[in-house]
Amino acid sequence: MTILIPQPELSEGHIDDYDAKELVLDGGFVVPNKTEAFDAPEINSFGNSFRDYNAESERQKTVEEFYRQQHINQSYDYVMRMREEYGKLDKAVMSIWECCELLNDVVDDSDPDLDEPQIQHLLQSAEAIRKDYPNEDWLHLTALIHDLGKVLLLPQFGHLPQWAVVGDTFPLGCAFDESNVHHKYFTDNPDFKNPAYSTKNGIYKEGCGLDNVVISWGHDDYMYLVAKENGTTLPHAALFIIRYHSLYPLHKAGAYKHLMNKEDEEDLKWLNIFNKYDLYSKSKVLVDVDEVKPYYQSLIKKYFTEKLRW
């Protein structure tokens, strides 16, 4: 059954809620320019630039080894097997908040900017967006749940290796763009020498739409499947953010845009807004979970059923 969900729009009334001096992006999207708005820091909690994959540190060595394994093992056939297996949604039945609490046990080895439990990253992102976009409650909730798929690292979800769950994502079935982090390790991927996958378009047609492109397997695609198949009423832009927020070659380097369609282009505007908060809100200053929990539970009730299949 197909469910049609209205897309969020930034109306003239929404824009009027902000000061006249605010920066207005293409399509009417507004980034607040108020003094109290979220201000992206220049360095991460380790004292390095954000997403600096060349900085010398023990953390960086862990990150590079992660990408070596990811680039070697994430092949087209592997992703198709994982989507079939986890698309069954037979691993657990639980609420969104129960899943959030499971992330207390998860640390992302691919992240050069944070080594705190993942639930703190979710709340830091959501609270920063909530401050700047108080009327977009769907975006607050999207920030809270966007990384919940990282439960794939836990034993009850298969205890998948880090390279199969986290890190930047990338399309399979076409050439690996050089903007991918640590691109050199793709040479040992079984798809690298496959003639069908070695061209810019590969097995796809230009403008086919990202929904028709196979993306490396991980927490993004898993959480997208969970939300979609459990009948969430979040708008399509929210599902786009969840599914492609780790596709940094696209939304940071502009790679693979030739595969996008018109709907992707509109949703990408929301993802670019979200990305600022996803990346730069990572901090050692922790959010008081008990204080904000009632608000996010109200949003979960609004956009999801009480229990979901995972």
Side-chain angles (χ1 to χ4, degrees), residues 182-249:
H182 296 301
H183 177 271
K184 60 186 177 182
Y185 294 120
F186 282 120
T187 55
D188 291 326
N189 185 297
D191 291 352
F192 187 79
K193 296 180 180 179
N194 186 330
Y197 304 154
S198 63
T199 63
K200 182 178 180 179
N201 288 343
I203 61 175
Y204 310 111
K205 293 182 179 180
E206 189 167 334
C208 65
L210 293 181
D211 281 349
N212 297 306
V213 176
V214 174
I215 307 293
S216 55
W217 173 254
H219 71 279
D220 315 63
D221 207 20
Y222 178 57
M223 188 58 211
Y224 163 78
L225 290 173
V226 169
K228 179 174 178 289
E229 297 304 320
N230 279 282
T232 182
T233 55
L234 284 169
H236 189 273
L239 295 178
F240 186 92
I241 290 170
I242 292 168
R243 194 175 195 183
Y244 303 115
H245 70 270
S246 298
L247 190 55
Y248 279 94

Side-chain angles (χ1 to χ4, degrees), residues 278-290:
D278 183 27
L279 179 58
Y280 297 112
S281 64
K282 299 170 184 176
S283 169
K284 290 291 186 180
V285 180
L286 305 184
V287 175
D288 186 332
V289 177
D290 291 335

Side-chain angles (χ1 to χ4, degrees), residues 42-94:
E42 294 183 359
I43 60 174
N44 63 21
S45 57
F46 299 102
N48 300 319
S49 300
F50 282 88
R51 288 182 58 81
D52 183 351
Y53 292 92
N54 297 313
E56 289 295 330
S57 70
E58 288 303 314
R59 182 73 176 165
Q60 293 296 342
K61 293 177 183 177
T62 299
V63 172
E64 180 166 355
E65 174 57 21
F66 161 85
Y67 276 107
R68 186 187 71 82
Q69 294 183 40
Q70 185 209 45
H71 291 355
I72 292 173
N73 291 290
Q74 287 268 7
S75 67
Y76 184 94
D77 289 344
Y78 172 80
V79 172
M80 297 305 290
R81 291 197 305 271
M82 299 304 284
R83 293 199 95 234
E84 180 179 3
E85 169 62 25
Y86 283 91
K88 299 173 184 176
L89 301 180
D90 60 358
K91 309 305 179 192
V93 176
M94 61 181 172

Side-chain angles (χ1 to χ4, degrees), residues 18-306:
Y18 295 95
D19 293 340
K21 294 182 179 179
E22 289 168 341
L23 172 64
V24 180
L25 302 180
D26 289 343
F29 291 85
V30 180
V31 175
N33 195 28
K34 301 175 182 178
T35 57
E36 69 271 16
F38 174 69
D39 186 19
E42 294 183 359
I43 60 174
N44 63 21
S45 57
F46 299 102
N48 300 319
S49 300
F50 282 88
R51 288 182 58 81
D52 183 351
Y53 292 92
N54 297 313
E56 289 295 330
S57 70
E58 288 303 314
R59 182 73 176 165
Q60 293 296 342
K61 293 177 183 177
T62 299
V63 172
E64 180 166 355
E65 174 57 21
F66 161 85
Y67 276 107
R68 186 187 71 82
Q69 294 183 40
Q70 185 209 45
H71 291 355
I72 292 173
N73 291 290
Q74 287 268 7
S75 67
Y76 184 94
D77 289 344
Y78 172 80
V79 172
M80 297 305 290
R81 291 197 305 271
M82 299 304 284
R83 293 199 95 234
E84 180 179 3
E85 169 62 25
Y86 283 91
K88 299 173 184 176
L89 301 180
D90 60 358
K91 309 305 179 192
V93 176
M94 61 181 172
S95 69
I96 290 287
W97 193 262
E98 287 173 326
C99 189
C100 289
E101 292 178 333
L102 287 179
L103 289 192
N104 278 319
D105 299 324
V106 173
V107 173
D108 184 343
D109 281 349
S110 74
D111 192 341
D113 302 319
L114 187 69
D115 60 357
E116 296 291 343
Q118 286 296 298
I119 191 171
Q120 280 297 324
H121 166 52
L122 301 181
L123 289 171
Q124 288 169 351
S125 300
E127 284 295 282
I129 291 175
R130 182 183 175 188
K131 180 179 179 181
D132 287 358
Y133 292 89
N135 298 324
E136 308 296 341
D137 67 354
W138 68 272
L139 194 55
H140 311 164
L141 183 58
T142 300
L144 179 73
I145 70 173
H146 76 281
D147 275 349
L148 291 188
K150 291 180 180 180
V151 293
L152 290 173
L153 294 167
L154 301 177
Q156 58 266 52
F157 291 87
H159 204 266
L160 296 183
Q162 291 259 344
W163 59 259
V165 180
V166 298
D168 290 8
T169 57
F170 47 88
L172 281 305
C174 59
F176 300 112
D177 190 87
E178 291 187 1
S179 63
N180 285 288
V181 173
H182 296 301
H183 177 271
K184 60 186 177 182
Y185 294 120
F186 282 120
T187 55
D188 291 326
N189 185 297
D191 291 352
F192 187 79
K193 296 180 180 179
N194 186 330
Y197 304 154
S198 63
T199 63
K200 182 178 180 179
N201 288 343
I203 61 175
Y204 310 111
K205 293 182 179 180
E206 189 167 334
C208 65
L210 293 181
D211 281 349
N212 297 306
V213 176
V214 174
I215 307 293
S216 55
W217 173 254
H219 71 279
D220 315 63
D221 207 20
Y222 178 57
M223 188 58 211
Y224 163 78
L225 290 173
V226 169
K228 179 174 178 289
E229 297 304 320
N230 279 282
T232 182
T233 55
L234 284 169
H236 189 273
L239 295 178
F240 186 92
I241 290 170
I242 292 168
R243 194 175 195 183
Y244 303 115
H245 70 270
S246 298
L247 190 55
Y248 279 94
L250 171 71
H251 51 79
K252 282 301 181 184
Y256 305 110
K257 282 191 173 182
H258 61 286
L259 300 176
M260 294 171 59
N261 59 23
K262 293 296 183 182
E263 186 176 32
D264 294 332
E265 292 173 3
E266 291 302 310
D267 288 340
L268 184 59
K269 297 172 184 177
W270 281 110
L271 178 53
N272 285 333
I273 289 174
F274 169 84
N275 182 255
K276 168 187 173 182
Y277 300 90
D278 183 27
L279 179 58
Y280 297 112
S281 64
K282 299 170 184 176
S283 169
K284 290 291 186 180
V285 180
L286 305 184
V287 175
D288 186 332
V289 177
D290 291 335
E291 181 180 343
V292 301
K293 181 178 178 179
Y295 173 70
Y296 290 102
Q297 284 186 315
S298 72
L299 298 188
I300 293 168
K301 185 176 181 179
K302 179 178 179 179
Y303 290 104
F304 284 94
T305 57
E306 183 178 355

